[in-house]
Every structure is written in structure tokens, then in C-alpha cells.
Amino acid sequence: MVYLLQHALEQSADKYPDKDAFRCMSQRLTYGELERQTNNLARALQNEGLQKGDRVGILLNRCIDTPVALYGVLKAGGVAVPIDPFAPVERIRFVIADCGIGLLISNNQQRRALQKLDLASTQVRAVMGPDVSLSVPNVSWSLVASNGGSPTANTMLEHDLAYIMYTSGTTGTPKGIMHTHHSGLAYARLSGNLYGVNANDVVANHSPLHFDISTFGYFTAPLFGATTIICSDAETKIPNSLAQLIDKEGITIWYSVPLALTQMLQGGMIHELSWSSLRWILYGGEPFPVSQLKILLAKTRNARWSNVYGPAEVNQCTYYHFDASTDLASTIPLGHIWGNTDMLIVDENDNSLGINEQGELLIRSSTMMSGYWNQPARNDKAFLSKENAPFEQRYYRTGDLVTLDSDGLLHFEGRKDRQVKIRGYRIELDEVQSILDLHEALDEVAVFVHREGQDKSLAAAVVTALPHEEVKRTIRLFVASKLPSYCIPEKVIILTNIPRTAAGKVDHRALVKLTEE
Amino acid sequence: MREELIAYLETEILHGEEEVLAEDDLLGSGLVDSMGMMKFIAHIEEEYEITIPPQDLVIENFMTIAAIEEYVKGRSS
């Protein structure tokens, strides 16, 4: 019976031992080999003292070690915490401390990042994977393989935690979204059924492991015995190589943020490629510019497209399918609520709204997180509890403003707060703001979004006595030391005072106008 | 050419915060992101007066400074 995420892998390893489960560049792992390697890692983690429920960090780039690390942790009874190896040292150290990571999985390629972390001063007591010397003991992959065996049985159940994904918070520190085996598997089942995923599918995974889009390639595909192609970091940076990968690997299901698809289009090579293997193209994270979408639709006449919507807190909750024959409006709807999910659209007092009335979308779903790690106050605010005797139902407040039209389609109308999506990255303007507020040489700061045509970028207006030529660099270095690189304001304007409304609030409209001049 | 490429990358894209060696993996290491790579390619086209056709814009030609140098020299000769 499949009630834990690793059962999906075990089942597919039983059915398709010689079939490729994952490929990345020239490397491959069959289901049988993945089963053996994850057993070895799980045993090695237990030998290092892992107890059920212990958090294990996965500090890896896009590579073939990621599925081994993820399922190895789950089989050992641990909770996987994927960490961006390219994030600032301070942020990685925050995550390690926040959820108490004692064991870390990495590899030799991350040597630089591991050394910068100064692990001896953290709670990490051992690193699995690298064979370079660090300030804490390490167990190399070859040692993991030779000391392995099967993990000892554990008593995990479906509502035990499986993984924590960190995302930006508004206060300057990230928050950990907790998912259980139940919510992870519910997502894998629902998404697999929605897109008819089967053992003949070849799924492209573009997202790094620490973003929720990766759950399709890492959880859904193995549940149905499909093969996942992990797009390497190199391929994600050279759009033409990425475009070629579709033909080379015979990708049948593509899933990424819109930017990856528009970059392939702009790379100028797709007319030379067939892309005939594609049967589904899924995108999520932000709206797709329709003008570019139409060119891509003409290229992919045999494929269906799906707009995937859902904050990482609920995995996915809506879908909108279309293809080359669909008469598209100027924006693509969020579409329909999917299975085992209810929604409410409410006003500021949590009263339900009617057709075409704009309000916040609230979601109750089997794919929903259990809460944020170690954040009781935040969890109280994140959910609305509704009594539905004899049960209490929890709805997650998405913060997204939507309308429901008379055809039953949901439409995205904006954000309730100052969270934005830029190039698919989820950015809290208030988080960037709170970091810059800490800088002593910046007297006043206002962070906002600068638009140029269809392109959006992060901008900051500052009041400062610093020499003008130093301001941009100062801001960049300061933000880069605390937040991921996509949070660095690309545009900086220096003002003598920040425009404010009569009520004294920052006048964002005036700021946007200033940058347009 | 190698020195010019490294100097441009270090100052204009990495903002003088990282040192780059000719054999460093620019793409897999996280040193350069996709927007940075696009900027670098635009610079190479301008500086060395070549147009890089789409079929040449692939990993093999841009993985390292050494690979870029070899590619650009091959194009100029």
C-alpha cells in the first residue's frame, strides 16, 4: 500500500527495475539503482544517529544526486529540507538553525559553499556525500554505498512530516512550509491523474529541488513509473541547449516557469527542432505573456497546455487547460479548482463573495501544508478555521485576489499584500525593504516594482548621504549577503526625499512615475 | 582575449566579488545566472564583432572562459 512518498519509489522499483527513473546530462539512475542507493543512504543516515522526524538538509544544485538524497532521507524516517546552495551563507545558516539540521547531504561540487558555511559553528554534526575535508566529519558517497544495506524499519505514518520548503517571509527571514507524506502524495496522485502521467512519460524538471514546482518531477513521476529528466544548471542558463533537450530526451511533459519557455523562444532555435514528443506543457509561478504564448502554441500544435496555479503552501489548487485551437483572452484564467479541494472567495471580514466580486482566495485541500515550521503566530493568521460539524476545516489564506466568472473560471486580479513574482521568483517587497531598513547609511528606502514593457524588475528608491556612485554597489552587496540574488534591486534611484501620500505612506504610484521618466 | 573576457565577467557581471579562472564551470557552479549569461553573450558579440547563430549558443561553447575563447577564435579565423 502506498501511504508514504517512498512507497511510490519502492512500488515502481518493483515494477520497472531496469527503467530509468532519473536522468541528468550524461548520468542516469534506473528505478532499481535508485532503490539501492536510497536504501544505502537511509542506512548511513541512521548510522549517523538519525531519529524519526529529524530534519536533514539537502544542499545540492540540479544534479543526479538530488533524488537519492530526497528519498534517502524519507526512507530513513527523516524530514527533507532542500536548501539553495547558491543562497547567501547567512540565509543557509538561518535555515540550519531554524529547523535544527543535524545532518546535511551534499557533494564535491558544493565544496566552496560548504567551506564558507563554517559548519563547526552550526548544529550540523556530519555531511553525507563529499569526500573533501570539512570542519565537521563527512561520509563520502562511496562510503555510503559500502556501509549501506536496508534502512531499519520505522513507524512512520501518512501525517508525519516529509519535507520543509523555505520561502521568503515578510520580516527578513524565510519561513519553512511543512508538507506531510499525505499532502505530498495527494499532490502526486492528483497531478498524475489530471495529466494522465504514465510509465511512458518523460517529464522535464526545470525547477531546483528547493522550489515547489519540483514536486511534479520528484514525486508525481516516480509514483507513475515515468522518467524524470533533471535539467542541469548549465542547460537552464543556455536556452538553446534547453530547447534541444526536449528532442534529445523525447520529453512528453514539460513543467517550468514561463521565463524558461520564453527564453527558449527568444533563443531562436526552436524552429529547427521538432518538439513533437511533447504532449503537455505546464507552466506556473506567474502569468504567461500572451503574445509569446501564441507563438509557442503555434509551435506545439500536438500538445496541450496547462496553467498551473497554487502557492507552495497548497502545492497546486487550480488548472486551466488550453491548446492551439483555444480562443485566448488577453490574460489566461487560473481556471478550475481541482480534486479534493474547496475554495472560498472572501472580503476583508471573511464574508463569502458572489460571482465577479473580487476577494481573497482561500483554499482547503488534501495537498495543503500542515503549517509553517515553528511559527505558531504566523500559522494562526495563515488559516481560516470553519466549523463543519463534527469536523473543523482549515482554509489557507492565499493572499491572492481573484474573481470567479459566470462560467466558473477563476481569474487572478492581484495580491492582497506586497508579494510579487518576478521571473517566476516569489519576492516579498517588505522583506527586501526590512533588510535595507537595517543599513545605517540609508536614511530612507522604498522598494517597488519597475515595469518596462512586459519586463518587471525590482527597484529601490533611497535617501542617502553616500556618494552616488557607491549606492548601487552598497545596496547590492548588503542584500546579497542576506537574501537570494533575485531579491537584489536592479534599479536604484537616489532621491532627496521619498514621495509620500497625505497620510504619510510611501506613494508607490509616484515612485513608479519617477522611474518612467 | 582570455584576460579581456575574464575582466569583463569579473567586473561587469560578478561586480568584482568573485575571481574567475579560465577553466571554472561558469554554468553549473551558480557563478553566473541566465540573465548574466545573456549579458555576457551580448558583450562577446559586440567586442569581437561576431554574430553568434542560435545553433552555436549551446553549453559546449560557453561552459568555461577557455571554451568561449576557443569558440570566438574559431569564428574569427
Side-chain angles (χ1 to χ4, degrees), chain A residues 425-472:
Chain A
Y425 295 112
R426 173 167 154 175
I427 300 172
E428 297 280 0
L429 293 180
D430 290 338
E431 177 178 43
V432 182
Q433 174 88 42
S434 68
I435 292 295
L436 286 174
D437 283 343
L438 298 173
H439 199 292
E440 287 171 357
L442 304 174
D443 300 330
E444 270 192 278
V445 183
V447 177
F448 61 104
V449 174
H450 171 64
R451 282 190 169 75
E452 230 173 301
Q454 284 185 334
D455 202 31
K456 286 187 287 186
S457 60
L458 200 59
V462 296
V463 177
T464 176
L466 281 174
H468 284 197
E469 65 277 11
E470 282 178 26
V471 175
K472 199 171 176 188

Short mmCIF file of all heavy atoms in Angstrom, two decimals, chain A residues 425-472:
data_model
loop_
_atom_site.label_atom_id
_atom_site.label_comp_id
_atom_site.label_asym_id
_atom_site.label_seq_id
_atom_site.Cartn_x
_atom_site.Cartn_y
_atom_site.Cartn_z
N TYR A 425 10.14 34.11 -9.63
CA TYR A 425 10.53 34.06 -8.22
C TYR A 425 9.53 34.80 -7.35
O TYR A 425 9.08 35.88 -7.69
CB TYR A 425 11.92 34.69 -8.03
CG TYR A 425 13.03 33.95 -8.70
CD1 TYR A 425 13.72 34.49 -9.77
CD2 TYR A 425 13.40 32.68 -8.26
CE1 TYR A 425 14.75 33.79 -10.39
CE2 TYR A 425 14.42 31.98 -8.87
CZ TYR A 425 15.10 32.54 -9.93
OH TYR A 425 16.10 31.85 -10.53
N ARG A 426 9.24 34.20 -6.22
CA ARG A 426 8.33 34.81 -5.27
C ARG A 426 9.13 35.75 -4.37
O ARG A 426 10.00 35.32 -3.64
CB ARG A 426 7.68 33.67 -4.47
CG ARG A 426 6.81 34.06 -3.33
CD ARG A 426 6.04 32.81 -2.90
NE ARG A 426 5.67 32.88 -1.51
CZ ARG A 426 4.91 31.98 -0.90
NH1 ARG A 426 4.48 30.91 -1.56
NH2 ARG A 426 4.60 32.09 0.36
N ILE A 427 8.81 37.03 -4.44
CA ILE A 427 9.57 38.03 -3.68
C ILE A 427 8.61 38.82 -2.80
O ILE A 427 7.57 39.29 -3.26
CB ILE A 427 10.31 39.00 -4.64
CG1 ILE A 427 11.30 38.21 -5.52
CG2 ILE A 427 11.04 40.09 -3.86
CD1 ILE A 427 11.93 39.04 -6.62
N GLU A 428 8.96 38.96 -1.53
CA GLU A 428 8.21 39.81 -0.63
C GLU A 428 8.89 41.17 -0.62
O GLU A 428 10.00 41.32 -0.11
CB GLU A 428 8.21 39.24 0.80
CG GLU A 428 7.56 37.88 0.94
CD GLU A 428 6.04 37.95 1.01
OE1 GLU A 428 5.49 39.07 0.95
OE2 GLU A 428 5.41 36.87 1.12
N LEU A 429 8.21 42.19 -1.18
CA LEU A 429 8.83 43.52 -1.20
C LEU A 429 9.14 43.98 0.21
O LEU A 429 10.15 44.65 0.46
CB LEU A 429 7.89 44.52 -1.89
CG LEU A 429 7.64 44.30 -3.39
CD1 LEU A 429 6.70 45.36 -3.93
CD2 LEU A 429 8.95 44.31 -4.17
N ASP A 430 8.30 43.60 1.16
CA ASP A 430 8.52 44.03 2.55
C ASP A 430 9.75 43.35 3.16
O ASP A 430 10.35 43.89 4.08
CB ASP A 430 7.28 43.73 3.41
CG ASP A 430 6.13 44.65 3.03
OD1 ASP A 430 6.41 45.73 2.45
OD2 ASP A 430 4.97 44.30 3.27
N GLU A 431 10.09 42.16 2.68
CA GLU A 431 11.30 41.51 3.18
C GLU A 431 12.54 42.27 2.71
O GLU A 431 13.44 42.56 3.50
CB GLU A 431 11.37 40.05 2.69
CG GLU A 431 12.65 39.36 3.13
CD GLU A 431 12.75 37.91 2.70
OE1 GLU A 431 12.39 37.61 1.55
OE2 GLU A 431 13.19 37.08 3.52
N VAL A 432 12.57 42.61 1.42
CA VAL A 432 13.70 43.37 0.88
C VAL A 432 13.77 44.72 1.58
O VAL A 432 14.84 45.20 1.98
CB VAL A 432 13.56 43.54 -0.65
CG1 VAL A 432 14.76 44.28 -1.21
CG2 VAL A 432 13.40 42.19 -1.33
N GLN A 433 12.60 45.31 1.77
CA GLN A 433 12.52 46.59 2.47
C GLN A 433 13.09 46.49 3.89
O GLN A 433 13.89 47.32 4.32
CB GLN A 433 11.04 47.02 2.54
CG GLN A 433 10.77 48.26 3.35
CD GLN A 433 10.89 49.54 2.54
OE1 GLN A 433 10.44 49.59 1.40
NE2 GLN A 433 11.52 50.54 3.10
N SER A 434 12.70 45.44 4.61
CA SER A 434 13.14 45.33 6.00
C SER A 434 14.65 45.10 6.10
O SER A 434 15.28 45.51 7.06
CB SER A 434 12.37 44.23 6.73
OG SER A 434 12.73 42.97 6.23
N ILE A 435 15.22 44.45 5.09
CA ILE A 435 16.68 44.26 5.07
C ILE A 435 17.36 45.62 4.84
O ILE A 435 18.28 46.02 5.56
CB ILE A 435 17.09 43.25 3.97
CG1 ILE A 435 16.59 41.85 4.32
CG2 ILE A 435 18.60 43.27 3.74
CD1 ILE A 435 17.20 41.23 5.55
N LEU A 436 16.87 46.37 3.83
CA LEU A 436 17.51 47.65 3.51
C LEU A 436 17.32 48.67 4.65
O LEU A 436 18.18 49.53 4.87
CB LEU A 436 16.97 48.21 2.19
CG LEU A 436 17.49 47.46 0.95
CD1 LEU A 436 16.80 47.96 -0.30
CD2 LEU A 436 19.01 47.62 0.82
N ASP A 437 16.22 48.54 5.37
CA ASP A 437 15.99 49.43 6.51
C ASP A 437 17.08 49.29 7.57
O ASP A 437 17.30 50.17 8.39
CB ASP A 437 14.63 49.14 7.15
CG ASP A 437 13.48 49.73 6.34
OD1 ASP A 437 13.75 50.62 5.50
OD2 ASP A 437 12.33 49.32 6.53
N LEU A 438 17.75 48.12 7.56
CA LEU A 438 18.80 47.86 8.56
C LEU A 438 20.10 48.60 8.24
O LEU A 438 20.97 48.73 9.08
CB LEU A 438 19.11 46.36 8.64
CG LEU A 438 17.99 45.42 9.07
CD1 LEU A 438 18.43 43.97 8.91
CD2 LEU A 438 17.62 45.70 10.53
N HIS A 439 20.25 49.03 6.98
CA HIS A 439 21.53 49.63 6.58
C HIS A 439 21.65 51.05 7.12
O HIS A 439 20.82 51.91 6.84
CB HIS A 439 21.65 49.63 5.05
CG HIS A 439 23.07 49.79 4.60
ND1 HIS A 439 23.76 50.96 4.78
CD2 HIS A 439 23.94 48.94 4.02
CE1 HIS A 439 24.99 50.83 4.31
NE2 HIS A 439 25.12 49.60 3.83
N GLU A 440 22.73 51.29 7.86
CA GLU A 440 22.86 52.57 8.56
C GLU A 440 23.05 53.76 7.63
O GLU A 440 22.70 54.89 7.97
CB GLU A 440 24.04 52.50 9.54
CG GLU A 440 23.69 51.63 10.75
CD GLU A 440 24.90 51.37 11.63
OE1 GLU A 440 26.01 51.82 11.28
OE2 GLU A 440 24.71 50.71 12.66
N ALA A 441 23.63 53.52 6.45
CA ALA A 441 23.91 54.65 5.55
C ALA A 441 22.72 55.02 4.68
O ALA A 441 22.76 55.98 3.94
CB ALA A 441 25.11 54.31 4.67
N LEU A 442 21.65 54.24 4.78
CA LEU A 442 20.45 54.55 4.00
C LEU A 442 19.42 55.17 4.94
O LEU A 442 18.91 54.51 5.84
CB LEU A 442 19.89 53.28 3.34
CG LEU A 442 20.88 52.51 2.44
CD1 LEU A 442 20.26 51.20 1.96
CD2 LEU A 442 21.33 53.35 1.27
N ASP A 443 19.12 56.44 4.72
CA ASP A 443 18.22 57.15 5.64
C ASP A 443 16.78 56.73 5.42
O ASP A 443 16.02 56.57 6.36
CB ASP A 443 18.36 58.66 5.44
CG ASP A 443 19.79 59.11 5.71
OD1 ASP A 443 20.45 58.46 6.54
OD2 ASP A 443 20.24 60.08 5.08
N GLU A 444 16.42 56.59 4.15
CA GLU A 444 15.05 56.18 3.83
C GLU A 444 15.10 55.26 2.62
O GLU A 444 15.91 55.49 1.71
CB GLU A 444 14.19 57.40 3.47
CG GLU A 444 13.49 58.04 4.63
CD GLU A 444 12.45 59.03 4.12
OE1 GLU A 444 12.85 60.16 3.79
OE2 GLU A 444 11.29 58.65 4.02
N VAL A 445 14.24 54.27 2.61
CA VAL A 445 14.23 53.32 1.50
C VAL A 445 12.78 53.00 1.14
O VAL A 445 11.92 52.89 2.02
CB VAL A 445 14.92 51.99 1.89
CG1 VAL A 445 14.95 51.03 0.70
CG2 VAL A 445 16.32 52.22 2.42
N ALA A 446 12.51 52.86 -0.17
CA ALA A 446 11.22 52.33 -0.61
C ALA A 446 11.48 51.33 -1.73
O ALA A 446 12.13 51.66 -2.72
CB ALA A 446 10.31 53.45 -1.09
N VAL A 447 11.01 50.10 -1.53
CA VAL A 447 11.23 49.06 -2.53
C VAL A 447 9.95 48.90 -3.34
O VAL A 447 8.85 48.87 -2.77
CB VAL A 447 11.61 47.73 -1.84
CG1 VAL A 447 11.76 46.61 -2.86
CG2 VAL A 447 12.90 47.89 -1.05
N PHE A 448 10.09 48.82 -4.65
CA PHE A 448 8.91 48.70 -5.51
C PHE A 448 9.25 47.97 -6.80
O PHE A 448 10.40 47.59 -7.01
CB PHE A 448 8.32 50.10 -5.79
CG PHE A 448 9.26 51.03 -6.51
CD1 PHE A 448 9.10 51.29 -7.86
CD2 PHE A 448 10.32 51.65 -5.85
CE1 PHE A 448 9.96 52.15 -8.54
CE2 PHE A 448 11.19 52.50 -6.51
CZ PHE A 448 11.00 52.75 -7.86
N VAL A 449 8.23 47.76 -7.63
CA VAL A 449 8.44 47.04 -8.89
C VAL A 449 8.49 48.04 -10.03
O VAL A 449 7.62 48.89 -10.17
CB VAL A 449 7.33 46.01 -9.14
CG1 VAL A 449 7.48 45.37 -10.51
CG2 VAL A 449 7.36 44.95 -8.06
N HIS A 450 9.55 47.92 -10.84
CA HIS A 450 9.70 48.77 -12.01
C HIS A 450 9.29 47.96 -13.25
O HIS A 450 9.73 46.83 -13.42
CB HIS A 450 11.16 49.21 -12.12
CG HIS A 450 11.48 49.93 -13.39
ND1 HIS A 450 10.91 51.12 -13.73
CD2 HIS A 450 12.30 49.59 -14.42
CE1 HIS A 450 11.38 51.51 -14.91
NE2 HIS A 450 12.22 50.60 -15.35
N ARG A 451 8.45 48.55 -14.08
CA ARG A 451 7.98 47.85 -15.29
C ARG A 451 8.52 48.52 -16.53
O ARG A 451 8.51 49.73 -16.66
CB ARG A 451 6.46 47.86 -15.35
CG ARG A 451 5.84 46.86 -14.42
CD ARG A 451 4.34 46.73 -14.69
NE ARG A 451 3.80 45.58 -13.99
CZ ARG A 451 3.58 45.55 -12.68
NH1 ARG A 451 3.85 46.60 -11.94
NH2 ARG A 451 3.10 44.45 -12.10
N GLU A 452 9.01 47.69 -17.45
CA GLU A 452 9.42 48.20 -18.74
C GLU A 452 8.84 47.27 -19.78
O GLU A 452 9.31 46.16 -19.96
CB GLU A 452 10.96 48.23 -18.82
CG GLU A 452 11.51 49.56 -19.28
CD GLU A 452 13.02 49.62 -19.20
OE1 GLU A 452 13.56 49.45 -18.08
OE2 GLU A 452 13.65 49.79 -20.24
N GLY A 453 7.80 47.71 -20.45
CA GLY A 453 7.08 46.82 -21.37
C GLY A 453 6.53 45.66 -20.57
O GLY A 453 5.86 45.86 -19.56
N GLN A 454 6.87 44.43 -21.01
CA GLN A 454 6.37 43.26 -20.27
C GLN A 454 7.36 42.82 -19.20
O GLN A 454 7.10 41.88 -18.46
CB GLN A 454 6.12 42.11 -21.25
CG GLN A 454 4.83 42.32 -22.04
CD GLN A 454 4.52 41.15 -22.91
OE1 GLN A 454 5.41 40.39 -23.31
NE2 GLN A 454 3.26 40.96 -23.21
N ASP A 455 8.52 43.49 -19.16
CA ASP A 455 9.56 43.07 -18.23
C ASP A 455 9.39 43.79 -16.89
O ASP A 455 9.20 45.00 -16.84
CB ASP A 455 10.93 43.38 -18.84
CG ASP A 455 12.01 42.52 -18.22
OD1 ASP A 455 11.69 41.38 -17.81
OD2 ASP A 455 13.15 42.98 -18.12
N LYS A 456 9.48 43.00 -15.81
CA LYS A 456 9.39 43.57 -14.48
C LYS A 456 10.73 43.42 -13.79
O LYS A 456 11.39 42.39 -13.94
CB LYS A 456 8.34 42.81 -13.64
CG LYS A 456 6.92 43.11 -14.02
CD LYS A 456 5.96 42.46 -13.03
CE LYS A 456 5.90 40.96 -13.21
NZ LYS A 456 4.87 40.32 -12.36
N SER A 457 11.13 44.41 -13.01
CA SER A 457 12.33 44.24 -12.20
C SER A 457 12.15 44.94 -10.87
O SER A 457 11.27 45.77 -10.68
CB SER A 457 13.56 44.78 -12.95
OG SER A 457 13.39 46.15 -13.21
N LEU A 458 13.03 44.56 -9.93
CA LEU A 458 12.94 45.09 -8.59
C LEU A 458 13.68 46.43 -8.53
O LEU A 458 14.77 46.56 -9.07
CB LEU A 458 13.58 44.08 -7.64
CG LEU A 458 13.22 44.16 -6.17
CD1 LEU A 458 11.72 44.00 -5.97
CD2 LEU A 458 13.96 43.05 -5.41
N ALA A 459 13.07 47.42 -7.87
CA ALA A 459 13.69 48.74 -7.81
C ALA A 459 13.68 49.25 -6.38
O ALA A 459 12.83 48.85 -5.57
CB ALA A 459 12.94 49.71 -8.72
N ALA A 460 14.63 50.12 -6.07
CA ALA A 460 14.66 50.74 -4.74
C ALA A 460 14.91 52.23 -4.89
O ALA A 460 15.77 52.65 -5.66
CB ALA A 460 15.77 50.11 -3.89
N ALA A 461 14.15 53.03 -4.17
CA ALA A 461 14.40 54.47 -4.09
C ALA A 461 15.01 54.72 -2.71
O ALA A 461 14.50 54.19 -1.72
CB ALA A 461 13.11 55.25 -4.25
N VAL A 462 16.10 55.49 -2.68
CA VAL A 462 16.77 55.70 -1.39
C VAL A 462 17.11 57.16 -1.16
O VAL A 462 17.32 57.92 -2.09
CB VAL A 462 18.08 54.86 -1.28
CG1 VAL A 462 17.77 53.39 -1.30
CG2 VAL A 462 19.06 55.23 -2.38
N VAL A 463 17.15 57.51 0.10
CA VAL A 463 17.67 58.80 0.52
C VAL A 463 18.94 58.49 1.31
O VAL A 463 18.90 57.71 2.27
CB VAL A 463 16.66 59.54 1.43
CG1 VAL A 463 17.26 60.86 1.91
CG2 VAL A 463 15.35 59.76 0.70
N THR A 464 20.06 59.05 0.86
CA THR A 464 21.33 58.68 1.49
C THR A 464 22.37 59.77 1.30
O THR A 464 22.31 60.53 0.33
CB THR A 464 21.86 57.35 0.90
OG1 THR A 464 23.13 57.08 1.47
CG2 THR A 464 21.99 57.42 -0.61
N ALA A 465 23.34 59.81 2.22
CA ALA A 465 24.45 60.75 2.10
C ALA A 465 25.64 60.10 1.42
O ALA A 465 26.67 60.73 1.21
CB ALA A 465 24.85 61.25 3.49
N LEU A 466 25.52 58.84 1.09
CA LEU A 466 26.62 58.12 0.41
C LEU A 466 26.90 58.78 -0.94
O LEU A 466 25.98 59.28 -1.58
CB LEU A 466 26.22 56.67 0.17
CG LEU A 466 26.29 55.67 1.32
CD1 LEU A 466 25.70 54.34 0.85
CD2 LEU A 466 27.71 55.47 1.80
N PRO A 467 28.16 58.74 -1.38
CA PRO A 467 28.44 59.21 -2.75
C PRO A 467 27.61 58.40 -3.75
O PRO A 467 27.49 57.19 -3.60
CB PRO A 467 29.93 58.90 -2.93
CG PRO A 467 30.49 58.71 -1.56
CD PRO A 467 29.37 58.25 -0.69
N HIS A 468 27.01 59.09 -4.71
CA HIS A 468 26.08 58.44 -5.61
C HIS A 468 26.62 57.19 -6.29
O HIS A 468 25.92 56.20 -6.44
CB HIS A 468 25.59 59.45 -6.67
CG HIS A 468 24.59 60.40 -6.11
ND1 HIS A 468 23.77 61.16 -6.89
CD2 HIS A 468 24.27 60.69 -4.83
CE1 HIS A 468 22.98 61.90 -6.12
NE2 HIS A 468 23.29 61.63 -4.85
N GLU A 469 27.91 57.24 -6.68
CA GLU A 469 28.45 56.09 -7.43
C GLU A 469 28.59 54.84 -6.55
O GLU A 469 28.77 53.75 -7.05
CB GLU A 469 29.78 56.46 -8.11
CG GLU A 469 30.94 56.80 -7.17
CD GLU A 469 30.90 58.26 -6.67
OE1 GLU A 469 29.87 58.94 -6.88
OE2 GLU A 469 31.89 58.69 -6.05
N GLU A 470 28.49 55.02 -5.24
CA GLU A 470 28.65 53.85 -4.35
C GLU A 470 27.32 53.21 -3.96
O GLU A 470 27.29 52.11 -3.41
CB GLU A 470 29.36 54.27 -3.05
CG GLU A 470 30.85 54.46 -3.21
CD GLU A 470 31.48 54.92 -1.91
OE1 GLU A 470 30.92 54.62 -0.83
OE2 GLU A 470 32.53 55.59 -1.98
N VAL A 471 26.22 53.92 -4.22
CA VAL A 471 24.94 53.49 -3.66
C VAL A 471 24.50 52.13 -4.17
O VAL A 471 24.15 51.23 -3.41
CB VAL A 471 23.85 54.55 -3.94
CG1 VAL A 471 22.49 54.05 -3.47
CG2 VAL A 471 24.20 55.85 -3.24
N LYS A 472 24.55 51.97 -5.50
CA LYS A 472 24.03 50.73 -6.08
C LYS A 472 24.81 49.52 -5.58
O LYS A 472 24.26 48.49 -5.22
CB LYS A 472 24.07 50.82 -7.61
CG LYS A 472 23.15 49.81 -8.23
CD LYS A 472 22.98 49.96 -9.72
CE LYS A 472 22.13 48.80 -10.21
NZ LYS A 472 22.04 48.72 -11.65
#
